Amino acid sequence: ALPISVDKASDHVIGLSDDVSLKVLDKDGQALAAKQELSKSTQCAELAVARVYKLTVGSWTLVLGPTDATGVKAIVASLAHDEDAH
């Protein structure tokens, strides 16, 4: 399991280097459904799969697998636009 912390509520993309099962759990252990799975044409070449989740402020846990992969890389990025940057 991989704990993450979110400081701004927004849609987040979670990308994985291998196409493995992913559960996103809130602080109470409840699974959050993905809003969208991004197509290969919109992903970074190193990512096998990327999904969008609407995450609120707080702690979340990413649970990967089961998998035979010896190591899975994950990237989490907010899709929110910084309104102060205008």
Side-chain angles (χ1 to χ4, degrees):
L2 175 67
I4 63 169
S5 181
V6 173
D7 58 7
K8 184 175 184 180
S10 69
D11 287 348
H12 284 70
V13 63
I14 301 175
L16 303 175
S17 61
D18 293 85
D19 191 0
V20 300
S21 171
L22 170 66
K23 289 182 186 174
V24 178
L25 306 178
D26 66 13
K27 61 180 173 42
D28 298 320
Q30 297 297 310
L32 181 66
K35 285 180 59 176
Q36 178 183 11
E37 183 157 333
L38 301 178
S39 67
K40 293 264 186 211
S41 62
T42 61
Q43 295 179 37
C44 174
E46 288 85 22
L47 299 179
V49 63
R51 296 179 185 100
V52 177
Y53 293 85
K54 185 169 187 71
L55 300 182
T56 55
V57 173
S59 297
W60 295 85
T61 303
L62 307 182
V63 179
L64 305 175
T67 179
D68 292 333
T70 56
V72 178
K73 295 178 185 174
I75 184 169
V76 179
S78 173
L79 297 178
H81 297 285
D82 187 354
E83 295 179 10
D84 296 331
H86 294 279

